[in-house]
Amino acid sequence: MRPSRVFRLLVRIFILFLTISVTAVSILGGLSAVMILSNQDNFGIDTDNAEFNLDINNSTLIIENVNFSLPFNITNAGYFDLENFQLNIQLGLNYSQIDGGGPGVNETRIVRILDRTQNFGDIPKGLTGNFTFFGANSSFLHSSFPDPLTDIDWTRSPPLEFYANFTISLDYSVGMHSISITVINIKIGEYP
Amino acid sequence: MIFQVMDFLEIIAEIVGSILLFLKPIVSPIGAFLVDVTTAAAQFFKDNLGTSLTFYIVICVILVVSGIIVNIIWPGDRPGSIFSKGVGKIEEFDDKIEGSDDEDFVDEVKRCKDCGNPVGDSEICPLCGARQI
Amino acid sequence: MGAVKNMLKGFIFTGIYAVFTVVIPLVFFTLIFSIEGLPLEWEQQDQNNIMFWLVAFGLLVSGLAFFKYSSPKQSIRKAVFALIQVIVNCLYIWSYRFSGAAEVTFVILDFGFFTLDLSQMLLIYMGVYFLTIILRVYDIIDFTINREKIRENRMK
């Protein structure tokens, strides 16, 4: 065999090796995803320690402070590290509109009061990541809040309801796969 | 058994993951370059040849037909072809002519084995009378 | 006899490529799009796009496969058409990305949706393809430089 053919054979073996590696990582990544998602014990939301604070001035009915924290954990039961794990929470406030100068009487409205993304980094394989999603007062969209005196129908039961959209996004399989899971319209609380 | 398989898969995942982690920074930029070139080419096809499959069917047929023609003319496994046979014969003749330049014209005439006198087709030499057998 | 054998080989490989690059994807996508209630987000335009480009580039790849596989071993024309075929194959693979198949969204009714983005994976496959293109160029150079020796061995 000519030396040029030997060199070509070596390069072909390298290319084949690389292709097999990529394919193997893809297959194992898919298998891992099934292993993680199929076991509900791999996801935990600590609702007992979840906090939602809403301070409204009783005389002026102005929202003075709002924040919330949501502890949760994820167990990476797969073969690869979970990279660039991010959680995005959109909070919506559902209320009934009164005839106080705003649009529509008795119309149910939902306004977005929070749209925040928090990056939690990587979760190595085989480990459990314990995180707390925190939405501080400054993260809230205060301009979106309805006027408590002119907009909100406080006679409705409950007057205020909070709904959330959760979006989890991460990279898996050595960065080859980008996954995004969005859960929409989950009711997380009410006030008072 | 299941745990052994899972352990084996974990080892495989470690190995291929490490290989890919090492090679990814080298291969990805090359891939990105090829992606840019391919995207430009694909855009060209989309803008100019993206309405009908006729062009692609015609090209496919041309490739097959021209492949058949080329393989008939130049099969590649023997020196001759329907066009190169004549060339071969001419080469044979050329070889013969080249070889004959070296021969002496005189040697072609039949001579008497005794005296060397040209005898032609005669069986008896006209000079010395020797019989040519 | 060599020409007949080569052409037969060419036809066989053209058939194989046509099945794998045109028929199977066409059948697959037609089935996928015809199943109602699947939690996949597709639009009619996406469907038309994918199927058009798969067939278009698949036809080119199949035609080139005939020329390549009907050529004698280690011949210059085989190397040239192998290179063109790999380049067209790039376009074929990229037509999946081009028509949006690299990002798939599954709708989970009344719950949300799940999106899988395979762009990075396709990027790595394209990197591997580039190495294959380099190899094909190397073949052309090698077969051109050593053509006399190759022809000698082939004629034996």
Side-chain angles (χ1 to χ4, degrees):
Chain A
M1 203 185 256
R2 298 197 306 276
S4 57
R5 304 314 292 163
V6 174
F7 173 74
R8 184 185 183 272
L9 186 67
L10 290 171
V11 174
R12 282 200 77 174
I13 289 169
F14 170 75
I15 291 173
L16 181 69
F17 193 57
L18 192 56
T19 311
I20 289 171
S21 299
V22 173
T23 309
V25 166
S26 297
I27 293 170
L28 288 169
L31 206 65
S32 293
V34 169
M35 279 163 56
I36 294 171
L37 294 172
S38 60
N39 187 355
Q40 285 183 351
D41 293 338
N42 289 329
F43 305 95
I45 299 175
D46 188 1
T47 49
D48 293 338
N49 289 321
E51 284 181 23
F52 188 88
N53 300 314
L54 181 65
D55 298 333
I56 299 179
N57 188 309
N58 286 329
S59 49
T60 60
L61 290 183
I62 290 173
I63 295 170
E64 290 181 340
N65 183 39
V66 58
N67 60 66
F68 86 98
S69 63
L70 181 70
F72 65 96
N73 58 71
I74 292 181
T75 301
N76 184 1
Y79 296 118
F80 302 105
D81 296 347
L82 289 170
E83 296 164 0
N84 274 335
F85 174 64
Q86 287 184 339
L87 175 62
N88 169 273
I89 295 182
Q90 295 173 338
L91 270 183
L93 180 63
N94 179 297
Y95 65 96
S96 187
Q97 178 74 42
I98 58 166
D99 185 12
V105 179
N106 295 326
E107 190 184 86
T108 302
R109 300 186 71 207
I110 187 161
V111 290
R112 186 172 296 169
I113 58 171
L114 174 76
D115 188 348
R116 176 167 153 74
T117 302
Q118 199 166 333
N119 193 324
F120 297 100
D122 302 344
I123 305 174
K125 63 176 190 272
L127 299 182
T128 299
N130 292 300
F131 309 107
T132 303
F133 186 95
F134 185 67
N137 185 47
S138 55
S139 305
F140 280 81
L141 307 168
H142 286 275
S143 58
S144 302
F145 278 97
D147 190 317
L149 291 171
T150 60
D151 293 337
I152 299 174
D153 179 5
W154 292 100
T155 63
R156 190 184 82 158
S157 177
L160 300 176
E161 289 175 310
F162 296 94
Y163 287 85
N165 296 337
F166 297 93
T167 303
I168 295 169
S169 56
L170 52 98
D171 295 337
Y172 201 60
S173 305
V174 201
M176 282 210 313
H177 301 139
S178 295
I179 297 165
S180 169
I181 303 167
T182 302
V183 179
I184 55 175
N185 273 343
I186 305 293
K187 185 175 176 180
I188 58 167
E190 53 192 44
Y191 183 86
Chain B
M1 178 66 187
I2 295 171
F3 292 117
Q4 281 174 339
V5 169
M6 287 178 68
D7 284 342
F8 176 70
L9 287 175
E10 219 171 290
I11 295 167
I12 298 285
E14 281 252 8
I15 295 169
V16 291
S18 310
I19 292 166
L20 212 56
L21 211 62
F22 174 70
L23 290 171
K24 199 178 152 203
I26 304 165
V27 174
S28 283
I30 299 171
F33 164 75
L34 189 59
V35 158
D36 291 338
V37 170
T38 311
T39 306
Q43 190 63 35
F44 170 80
F45 274 95
K46 186 193 175 195
D47 293 340
N48 299 299
L49 302 159
T51 47
S52 167
L53 279 174
T54 313
F55 170 77
Y56 302 98
I57 295 169
V58 165
I59 295 293
C60 184
V61 169
I62 287 172
L63 282 166
V64 173
V65 168
S66 57
I68 292 169
I69 294 168
V70 163
N71 268 297
I72 290 169
I73 299 171
W74 294 287
D77 59 343
R78 51 188 167 80
S81 73
I82 60 167
F83 289 111
S84 65
K85 268 185 192 164
V87 171
K89 277 192 180 164
I90 291 167
E91 283 175 357
E92 282 176 31
F93 283 126
D94 282 340
D95 287 343
K96 273 192 186 163
I97 290 164
E98 276 170 18
S100 69
D101 283 342
D102 296 329
E103 285 176 63
D104 194 351
F105 176 77
V106 175
D107 290 335
E108 287 183 11
V109 177
K110 194 174 168 190
R111 291 181 178 276
C112 174
K113 56 182 190 306
D114 289 340
C115 62
N117 186 51
V119 295
D121 293 326
S122 175
E123 284 185 5
I124 299 169
C125 175
L127 188 67
C128 64
R131 190 174 284 276
Q132 308 299 314
I133 301 166
Chain C
M1 198 55 201
V4 173
K5 194 180 92 176
N6 283 343
M7 281 192 280
L8 192 66
K9 198 167 95 171
F11 278 116
I12 290 169
F13 275 95
T14 302
I16 292 169
Y17 269 90
V19 166
F20 278 96
T21 61
V22 178
V23 175
I24 290 177
L26 211 58
V27 166
F28 174 76
F29 280 106
T30 308
L31 278 173
I32 289 283
F33 292 135
S34 65
I35 296 171
E36 284 180 17
L38 258 191
L40 286 171
E41 258 189 15
W42 294 108
E43 288 179 14
Q44 185 62 36
Q45 191 52 38
D46 288 342
Q47 175 185 348
N48 292 342
N49 257 339
I50 291 169
M51 288 175 40
F52 177 86
W53 290 112
L54 284 178
V55 173
F57 290 129
L59 281 170
L60 291 182
V61 167
S62 304
L64 288 162
F66 177 83
F67 216 113
K68 177 188 162 188
Y69 286 99
S70 63
S71 301
K73 251 194 239 179
Q74 297 191 25
S75 60
I76 296 169
R77 66 177 186 251
K78 182 173 184 132
V80 168
F81 278 88
L83 173 65
I84 299 170
Q85 193 193 26
V86 165
I87 292 168
V88 175
N89 241 338
C90 274
L91 288 167
Y92 178 82
I93 290 169
W94 201 243
S95 67
Y96 281 98
R97 167 71 178 89
F98 185 64
S99 40
E103 190 171 294
V104 185
T105 302
F106 298 91
V107 175
I108 308 162
L109 219 56
D110 295 333
F111 187 72
F113 45 90
F114 170 83
T115 305
L116 180 62
D117 185 3
L118 301 169
S119 313
Q120 281 297 313
M121 192 176 80
L122 268 179
L123 215 67
I124 294 176
Y125 272 120
M126 293 300 268
V128 173
Y129 244 84
F130 188 79
L131 294 174
T132 309
I133 289 174
I134 299 294
L135 201 63
R136 296 281 181 248
V137 172
Y138 174 84
D139 277 346
I140 293 173
I141 296 168
D142 178 38
F143 294 164
T144 308
I145 291 171
N146 295 301
R147 63 185 178 280
E148 294 304 328
K149 212 189 286 181
I150 291 166
R151 279 176 193 163
E152 236 176 72
N153 290 335
R154 202 187 302 140
M155 305 300 183
K156 277 182 191 167

